[in-house]
Amino acid sequence: MKKWKKALLTLALLISFVIAVPVTGLAAAKYYVTTATVNVRSGPGTNYRRVLLLPKKEAVKVTGSTKYWYKVEYQNYYQQKYRGYISKNYLKSADIYKTSASLNLRRGTSTNTGKATTIPKGAKVIITDTYTGDWYRTVYYASNGNVYRGYTHQNYLRKNGAKKGNYITTDDVYMHRKPSITSTNILVVPKGRTV
């Protein structure tokens, strides 16, 4: 009788393991950036038709993969969605940042340009490129499902998972009263000082 119970328990555990393992091997969506101008294909191979041509440094959401291809989703400025496959050779992991304040995602690299949307404090955004070192070309995946593209100022972003600790200034820099370049300066921290 004990052998029968043990065999039944082993069978039940084996069945639950098989059910728990996803068949497709899909994980939670991850975000990648194109490393060159690249074709989005209707299937995982160059023999499939082209769905879309994406330029270098565009952000895509990866929803699955095969040995050589990523299954991706791309949403343009008009919120039109495209799905397809991109060769793994043309994608790299996106740099994810977290907003340190509620901030405007601008259509250009100036506070005088219109805003695409307002990103809430603590939201995660993708940085695809930099412009003059101060402005980042940014992609924001909003909770409503829309994808917004524009520019954000570096002072309002920090690398997701960045550690607290000592840093050394690389130039003479202002210390501001608030986390904003328009707030009052307290003092100048000289180059080479630990903060």
Side-chain angles (χ1 to χ4, degrees):
M1 190 68 142
K2 287 183 181 179
K3 285 183 180 181
W4 178 81
K5 285 182 180 178
K6 190 174 180 181
L8 186 61
L9 180 62
T10 303
L11 181 62
L13 286 172
L14 183 60
I15 290 170
S16 67
F17 176 75
V18 169
I19 291 170
V21 175
V23 177
T24 59
L26 298 181
K30 295 183 179 179
Y31 300 96
Y32 285 75
V33 176
T34 56
T35 59
T37 300
V38 64
N39 290 315
V40 179
R41 301 276 182 184
S42 62
T46 55
N47 55 326
Y48 289 90
R49 72 175 175 81
R50 181 171 77 186
V51 175
L52 187 66
L53 182 67
L54 285 181
K56 185 177 181 180
K57 297 183 180 176
E58 278 293 339
V60 296
K61 181 164 65 171
V62 172
T63 59
S65 68
T66 67
K67 188 173 181 180
Y68 301 108
W69 295 79
Y70 283 122
K71 185 177 181 182
V72 301
E73 184 178 281
Y74 172 77
Q75 198 165 331
N76 66 15
Y77 288 95
Y78 305 105
Q79 306 307 329
Q80 296 168 312
K81 283 187 183 178
Y82 297 89
R83 291 180 180 88
Y85 291 81
I86 296 177
S87 169
K88 289 183 176 182
N89 295 331
Y90 299 105
L91 291 175
K92 68 173 184 176
S93 290
D95 289 331
I96 308 290
Y97 285 71
K98 197 181 225 181
T99 57
S100 59
S102 178
L103 76 150
N104 292 325
L105 181 64
R106 299 280 177 185
R107 297 190 194 283
T109 57
S110 165
T111 54
N112 295 328
T113 57
K115 68 176 184 176
T117 191
T118 300
I119 305 173
K121 179 180 180 180
K124 292 180 181 177
V125 297
I126 297 167
I127 302 301
T128 60
D129 202 1
T130 58
Y131 180 82
T132 69
D134 293 333
W135 290 86
Y136 291 151
R137 189 168 163 232
T138 305
V139 178
Y140 170 54
Y141 284 80
S143 57
N144 64 5
N146 289 342
V147 179
Y148 299 95
R149 289 172 171 77
Y151 296 86
T152 52
H153 199 278
Q154 65 178 1
N155 287 5
Y156 296 98
L157 300 169
R158 63 178 181 271
K159 191 81 177 273
N160 191 37
K163 293 180 172 63
K164 294 180 180 178
N166 295 333
Y167 290 80
I168 296 173
T169 56
T170 58
D171 205 344
D172 294 345
V173 292
Y174 286 110
M175 180 181 286
H176 291 272
R177 193 169 299 281
K178 294 180 182 177
S180 168
I181 59 172
T182 58
S183 72
T184 310
N185 303 330
I186 300 171
L187 56 90
V188 174
V189 181
K191 180 180 179 179
R193 294 297 175 90
T194 301
V195 294

